[in-house]
Structures are given as structure tokens and as C-alpha cells.
Amino acid sequence: MLTAYIFCLAIGGGFLALSFFGDFLEGDVDLDTDLDAGADLDAAAHGSGIAQLFSIRAVIYALFGFGAAGSLLHAIWGGGQPVLTAAVAGGTGLASGALITTVFGYLRRTEAGTLRGEQSFVGLAGEVSLEIAPGSRGAVTVRRGDRRIRIRARAAETWQGEEPLSAGQAVVVVEMKDGIAAVSPVAPKLLEE
């Protein structure tokens, strides 16, 4: 069982380290997903319910909590209480996943984690970091001051292109709504001016 604890600790801790250090290293690590398969799934992903409980963030924290508690208790008890260790580790993992889901749900509802308001992104130039096909969502990276910020994006309604916006393509944010940027492609020469 120690192997399972260490595996969960390594996987959960690794993803947590990537998400933490990704901001400092200007990496494009994004551990939160957006379900875009329909109105019912979208409502479930942003509301309360089973879909929110099994978000990637919650699973990562649950794996880390399970692995950390199991490894620590196995070391303390010398492997002498395997059933009790598994029960406590499982409870700790579920509790850490539920706690982080609750905290991020509160932040999303109250908008306590927003910076300067989403309308401050309008007019910023950036580049596509995850392809944006017509009718679907992707991601763009914009620069504000000395920080690079990655935000979810869709093609602006004013853009009539049939081709998807490919990674690396220059875009400008024309509108922000509910944390999703509406972007339109621009010529790189326009960005220089």
C-alpha cells in the first residue's frame, strides 16, 4: 500500500508544484478545465453538483492529501496499521478535495479572486496559446505590464473567418464576458504601431 501512497503523493504533488511554479516561470500551466459540451454540462461545471466535485483541481488535491497522509502514517506506525492508515488517508484525501472545491467555489461566486475586473483586458494584444476553432473555446496569452496572463477565449462574433485561430497567431481582445475573452485576429504589423 505504501507504493500507492507514494504514487499519489508524487502525482498530486507534482501537479501542485507545476501550478504553483508555472506562474513564477511564466509557464502556461492551466489545471482548471471548462466543459463545453452543452448547456447542461456547462451549468453543472459552474454550479454545484457532481461535476464540480470531480474537477481536475479537486482530484489533484485529493490525490495529494491521500498520498501525504498515507505516507506519513505508514512511516509513523511502521506499516503496522494498514487498515487504519488507509481509512485515515482516504478521509484526508476526500476532505482536502472537498475543501479546495468549496474554497474555489466561494471565490468564483463572490469574484473575490478577480484582478482589476475583466473589462481591463479589452484592447490588450496577445497571441493564441490553445487553438480557437469557430464555435469553440481555446486560450490566449496577453501581456499586462510585465506579466503574461493566460485566459480562456473564443472567436469574436465580428470575425467572419472560417479557419481556426492557430497557436501563435496575433489577436486582440475585443470583449470580455464571464471570464472569457472574445478575440479577433490582427496583423503583426499593427501590433508594432
Side-chain angles (χ1 to χ4, degrees):
M1 196 68 180
L2 179 61
T3 305
Y5 298 139
I6 293 173
F7 177 77
C8 291
L9 179 62
I11 297 297
F15 278 116
L16 287 175
L18 277 176
S19 67
F20 179 72
F21 291 115
D23 187 44
F24 294 114
L25 302 174
E26 291 192 8
D28 288 331
V29 178
D30 191 6
L31 295 178
D32 199 14
T33 60
D34 182 36
L35 297 175
D36 195 25
D40 292 337
L41 288 177
D42 195 41
H46 293 97
S48 59
I50 197 80
Q52 186 180 13
L53 183 63
F54 292 112
S55 71
I56 290 176
R57 182 180 290 124
V59 170
I60 288 171
Y61 276 92
L63 282 174
F64 181 74
F66 175 77
S71 299
L72 182 64
L73 291 176
H74 184 81
I76 289 172
W77 291 332
Q81 302 285 338
V83 175
L84 183 58
T85 300
V88 171
T92 303
L94 290 175
S96 63
L99 176 67
I100 201 64
T101 299
T102 304
V103 168
F104 278 98
Y106 170 76
L107 291 175
R108 184 179 293 128
R109 281 191 313 272
T110 62
E111 297 182 9
T114 58
L115 299 174
R116 289 200 225 166
E118 64 182 21
Q119 293 307 314
S120 66
F121 288 104
V122 174
L124 292 179
E127 66 180 32
V128 176
S129 56
L130 182 63
E131 182 178 281
I132 305 169
S136 69
R137 295 180 187 161
V140 296
T141 303
V142 295
R143 185 169 291 279
R144 182 188 295 159
D146 61 344
R147 283 195 72 194
R148 289 178 1 155
I149 303 168
R150 184 175 178 179
I151 52 178
R152 293 182 299 178
R154 63 176 173 77
E157 294 173 4
T158 57
W159 183 62
Q160 301 298 322
E162 298 292 324
E163 298 288 321
L165 300 172
S166 58
Q169 187 170 356
V171 294
V172 64
V173 177
V174 295
E175 178 186 16
M176 284 291 294
K177 184 174 181 184
D178 297 328
I180 300 172
V183 297
S184 185
V186 295
K189 185 169 179 119
L190 291 175
L191 293 178
E192 293 173 6
E193 299 171 359

